[in-house]
Amino acid sequence: MKYGILGDIHGNLSALETVLDAFRREGVDHVLSVGDVVGYGAAPRECIDLVRSVGATVVKGNHDAACVDEIDVVYFNNYAREAVAWTQTMLKREERRWLAELPMTAELESCYVSHGTLHQPELFNYIQSTTDADPSLDVMELPVCFVGHTHVPVALLRLHDDPLRTAYTVDGVVDVSEAYRALINVGSVGQPRDEDPRAAYAIFDTMESTVAIRRVEYDIELEANRIRKAGLPSVLADRLFLGV
Ligand code: ZN
């Protein structure tokens, strides 16, 4: 089984189309999304349509929740708040219903999917250290969990030979057969923040027991113009070129 995992898409249609093309080339059997399908970008409806059309398993991100008034945007920065308000004016009732009905986590045959943490997904906390990862690793009964939220790819691991210690790696390929538990942040499709502007995605090959984080160039210019034309804050277009 080959899973293709979409990190935070954030309404970036060009990036999403490019990654889905890559999934087709890689022979992906099933698509997973760690949430934040919408917010920031100028194509929220098109992105919802696309992830639905490929039959993806999708969990709820904090921007998805904010766009259906489930969380208070007081904790968002000004640009994010503006983007949420704009997205709310664009979404049709049926799309809002789809977002509202997204689960907080998903459990598949050999992995979990969540947006922020696995142990308290509704709080949308960030995993930025091994200590942050520990409570999620503690509740895992399956070997692998995919998350997003920080927009920075990283793998947090407990290895078979030292299962009490949590380590991390930014290697492009993780051999999950060596890991007793692996919590993997897949980075972001539509708004990378690790100073690499290319779209990020992951491929989980269950036969090979590997998770690969890959990067692919997409048409940033086109997407930035879409953001500017929509009247969204221009900083949301500019940051795409920098990967911040
Ligand atoms: Zn996000």
Side-chain angles (χ1 to χ4, degrees):
M1 182 80 166
K2 252 192 193 181
Y3 291 104
I5 305 103
L6 299 165
D8 299 44
I9 299 162
H10 284 298
N12 184 332
L13 180 60
S14 309
L16 177 60
E17 286 174 334
T18 303
V19 171
L20 290 177
D21 279 345
F23 283 0
R24 268 172 230 122
R25 279 199 305 278
E26 302 240 22
V28 161
D29 301 299
H30 189 66
V31 177
L32 311 176
S33 157
V34 302
D36 275 4
V37 176
V38 302
Y40 291 126
R45 301 189 59 213
E46 295 85 343
C47 289
I48 289 174
D49 252 16
L50 255 186
V51 296
R52 294 178 79 176
S53 73
V54 297
T57 298
V58 186
V59 300
K60 191 180 289 181
N62 54 320
H63 287 254
D64 305 323
C67 285
V68 290
D69 295 317
E70 288 177 6
I71 59 169
D72 198 333
V73 289
V74 72
Y75 303 107
F76 282 42
N77 68 52
N78 286 346
Y79 304 121
R81 212 179 302 155
E82 228 177 289
V84 165
W86 179 87
T87 305
Q88 285 178 328
T89 67
M90 300 302 293
L91 295 176
K92 300 280 182 270
R93 181 200 299 249
E94 207 279 317
E95 291 151 353
R96 279 199 297 273
R97 189 188 58 81
W98 181 79
L99 285 172
E101 287 177 357
L102 290 176
M104 294 306 303
T105 61
E107 185 177 328
L108 294 104
E109 210 174 299
S110 46
C111 64
Y112 304 97
V113 188
S114 184
H115 188 64
T117 67
L118 183 64
H119 71 299
Q120 289 176 322
E122 67 289 349
L123 298 184
F124 296 115
N125 287 328
Y126 294 86
I127 294 178
Q128 287 171 316
S129 67
T130 53
T131 316
D132 294 342
D134 280 333
S136 291
L137 289 162
D138 285 344
V139 299
M140 287 170 64
E141 288 173 10
L142 299 170
V144 180
C145 177
F146 295 105
V147 297
H149 201 28
T150 65
H151 301 203
V152 176
V154 63
L156 296 123
L157 306 167
R158 288 183 182 165
L159 302 177
H160 286 295
D161 56 10
D162 193 3
L164 296 179
R165 191 175 73 95
T166 305
Y168 78 93
T169 178
V170 291
D171 285 355
V173 180
V174 176
D175 179 353
V176 289
S177 68
E178 285 177 4
Y180 164 70
R181 299 286 182 259
L183 181 95
I184 296 172
N185 190 314
V186 298
S188 172
V189 170
Q191 196 195 75
R193 292 181 193 160
D194 57 349
E195 298 182 14
D196 181 344
R198 296 174 300 168
Y201 65 92
I203 301 289
F204 177 25
D205 187 329
T206 59
M207 297 292 282
E208 305 261 325
S209 281
T210 55
V211 176
I213 305 285
R214 300 211 214 283
R215 307 300 286 255
V216 60
E217 283 184 24
Y218 73 96
D219 194 340
I220 299 180
E221 192 68 54
L222 187 155
E223 210 54 41
N225 283 335
R226 202 196 313 268
I227 288 172
R228 294 191 191 103
K229 241 195 252 161
L232 285 160
S234 61
V235 64
L236 297 180
D238 299 339
R239 67 190 298 177
L240 296 181
F241 293 93
L242 304 171
V244 295

